[in-house]
Amino acid sequence: MRQLLAFIRVGIPAGATRHVRLTAPVNALALIDPHGLLVVEPGEVDIMIGASCSDIRARTTLTITGEVTGVPRDGRFLGSADESSL
């Protein structure tokens, strides 16, 4: 399953570089367990960056460790993004 965690439109002139920071709340990695609880489970999560879901330009994998952790349902699932020149 793929889902949008955060986004920002970044205009990058040819030959230039930009630093972009994406921040996502832990709820963004949560799922509903068989008991109907919102939890974050240990395991691997693929993080992809691209122009669209069909145009992925970079990817990495992060590993969640520890125990299954319950997450409060505060309604915040999208992250934020900011841009700065390098």
Side-chain angles (χ1 to χ4, degrees):
M1 171 168 70
R2 292 183 184 181
Q3 68 183 30
L4 178 66
L5 293 181
F7 70 93
I8 187 171
R9 183 177 301 267
V10 179
I12 305 174
T17 8
R18 294 281 190 264
H19 176 88
V20 177
R21 179 187 316 260
L22 301 174
T23 305
V26 69
N27 292 18
L29 302 177
L31 53 90
I32 298 175
D33 75 1
H35 305 288
L37 300 173
L38 192 61
V39 298
V40 174
E41 296 183 338
E44 292 187 343
V45 178
D46 293 323
I47 305 294
M48 295 173 271
I49 298 170
S52 71
C53 64
S54 60
D55 184 8
I56 302 302
R57 299 178 185 193
R59 67 178 65 222
T60 191
T61 300
L62 63 88
T63 302
I64 301 171
T65 61
E67 301 296 318
V68 173
T69 304
V71 176
R73 291 180 184 255
D74 66 3
R76 183 163 183 240
F77 286 90
L78 278 180
S80 61
D82 64 67
E83 171 192 7
S84 61
S85 298
L86 289 178

